[in-house]
Amino acid sequence: MIKYLDLQRITRMHQTEIEQAVHKVVDSGWYLQGEQLQRFERNYAAFIGTKFCVGCGNGLDALTLIFKAYMEQGRLAPGDEVLVPANTYIASILSITANGLVPVLVEPLPNTLQMDVEDAAKKCSTKTRALLLVHLYGRCAYTEKLAALCMQHDLLLVEDNAQAHGCCYGTQRTGSLGHAAAHSFYPGKNLGALGDAGAVTTNDEELARIIKSLGNYGSVEKYNFAYEGRNSRMDDIQAAVLNVKLKYLDADNQRRKEIASTYLLHMENTHVRLVRADADCVYHIFPVFTEQRKALQQHLYNCGIETAIHYPIPPHKQHCYKQWADAYLPVTEKIHREEVSIPLHQALNNDEIEQVIRSINAFEGR
Ligand SMILES: *Cc1c(COP(=O)(O)O)cnc(C)c1O
């Protein structure tokens, strides 16, 4: 069986080095706010191309703390509207509602799967203060048109870079394009820890300082609390793992791109639609689309290939957001109805890649 995501094999690519790094932390007796975290924050800021990086507990916290810090600064207030793609993972939207802000769901374009800037412009109101851009599937969602829209309405541009570590826009990395960016190092992401971890990158020194404080109970110095904070820190064991894996991220992404090119070159099936991405895409997910999702998944399963769906139900159809159940978002709903994610990661071998292509091409539909 070809697993959708084979984390054991991915870890084994650098297992000895990872184990040595973890062992050093275990041996040091220093497990939080230590040297490994400091090193990771420095390394990752340099990698992304921002002045600051603040480690935190996970990707959702990274997003939530960015908005909370803007509230602390008075740059956002409860009831302000935040434009966000309707077809994102629910965490993007949770970070907005958790702060008493109002998400405004924007449709994607079917040929890019990313935010439709014209729909975003239409949905701008006098209360719109920020735009949360999600580089979904590892595709850069930033465009000049989008930057112009943010300028025109004086919007804070926040990036959700959970799925696109290492992705570029020209010579810049995603995560350095807006005012602040959130990153998740959930094990299955392109840069994955061996547990939960996340980070914020930004060039805004004050914002970085507030986020650091918010994730540490709101403390500015020991036992002196400026903000009503929480506990959301990246522990040093995860930082040590990430310091090892960051060195290989560009090479891992290169391998993902190679596999994607092979898929795009050889996959051909009238029942299966591919949506091309530009050359900078880091393929966190390789989505294909079909009106016969169940049948395609079953067929691939019978061929020994595990698949996934990102995501089966859009946020506005979730029970927790039942107030939006009747929102008119046909492009989003079609994506959620038809998407199938097929295996693509740096540890896949050529035989497996060939098997995936052969199996997709052999799907006969109903
Ligand atoms: C994974 C993910 C998150 C959440 O990250 P966690 O570390 O799991 O909290 C947020 N947004 C997107 C787009 C993601 O894919």
Side-chain angles (χ1 to χ4, degrees), residues 259-279:
I259 298 170
S261 307
T262 310
Y263 281 175
L264 288 166
L265 189 64
H266 297 290
M267 276 183 188
E268 209 180 334
N269 189 316
T270 52
H271 303 294
V272 179
R273 191 161 32 87
L274 307 175
V275 178
R276 278 165 198 284
D278 64 36

Side-chain angles (χ1 to χ4, degrees), residues 6-262:
D6 198 332
L7 284 178
Q8 193 177 39
R9 254 164 73 181
I10 289 173
T11 301
R12 281 185 181 156
M13 290 171 77
H14 307 289
Q15 187 147 341
T16 310
E17 201 180 347
I18 290 169
E19 283 176 357
Q20 281 168 353
V22 169
H23 181 79
K24 261 172 83 176
V25 178
V26 172
D27 204 42
S28 76
W30 194 286
Y31 308 121
L32 283 167
Q33 315 283 59
E35 188 200 321
Q36 286 297 326
L37 174 63
Q38 259 184 24
R39 263 186 53 200
F40 178 73
E41 290 177 339
R42 229 178 16 243
N43 291 343
Y44 197 64
F47 176 83
I48 292 293
T50 53
K51 288 193 193 137
F52 307 99
C53 168
V54 180
C56 53
N58 54 65
L60 173 58
D61 280 359
L63 283 163
T64 308
L65 292 179
I66 290 172
F67 288 116
K68 189 160 167 60
Y70 281 132
M71 313 269 286
E72 294 289 351
Q73 284 185 314
R75 294 163 82 180
L76 291 178
D80 284 352
E81 292 177 0
V82 181
L83 298 164
V84 61
N87 60 318
T88 186
Y89 181 54
I90 198 154
S92 318
I93 295 168
L94 290 172
S95 72
I96 298 170
T97 54
N99 280 293
L101 300 163
V102 179
V104 175
L105 304 177
V106 181
E107 283 269 68
L109 286 169
N111 63 340
T112 64
L113 310 172
Q114 302 293 26
M115 188 181 270
D116 175 355
V117 180
E118 275 169 35
D119 193 47
K122 259 190 280 174
K123 289 173 177 168
C124 265
S125 81
T126 53
K127 288 179 136 184
T128 313
R129 294 281 177 274
L131 188 149
L132 176 54
L133 192 61
V134 185
H135 303 297
L136 198 71
Y137 302 150
R139 296 161 176 246
C140 176
Y142 185 89
T143 60
E144 271 176 32
K145 261 168 109 180
L146 186 119
L149 179 78
C150 291
M151 285 283 257
Q152 190 192 338
H153 294 270
D154 200 19
L155 305 180
L156 291 167
L157 177 57
V158 179
E159 297 173 81
D160 181 340
N161 201 42
Q163 300 194 357
H165 323 102
C167 177
C168 288
Y169 175 78
T171 56
Q172 287 170 280
R173 303 264 189 193
T174 57
S176 72
L177 303 169
H179 295 97
H183 310 256
S184 161
F185 308 113
Y186 177 81
K189 309 288 189 188
N190 288 33
L191 177 59
L194 303 185
D196 275 319
V200 174
T201 54
T202 182
N203 288 317
D204 183 334
E205 185 168 9
E206 190 187 46
L207 189 81
R209 196 171 40 72
I210 296 173
I211 289 169
K212 184 107 203 160
S213 171
L214 285 173
N216 195 31
Y217 317 106
S219 92
V220 281
E221 56 187 69
K222 207 164 186 186
Y223 303 126
N224 188 349
F225 304 95
Y227 311 104
E228 198 180 318
R230 64 171 76 188
N231 177 356
S232 182
R233 301 179 292 222
M234 183 193 294
D235 66 71
D236 274 56
I237 288 184
Q238 297 308 335
V241 170
L242 291 170
N243 278 325
V244 172
K245 292 185 78 177
L246 180 58
K247 294 189 289 182
Y248 304 103
L249 178 58
D250 277 336
D252 289 346
N253 282 339
Q254 197 50 45
R255 177 65 180 154
R256 284 175 181 269
K257 290 182 196 194
E258 269 170 34
I259 298 170
S261 307
T262 310

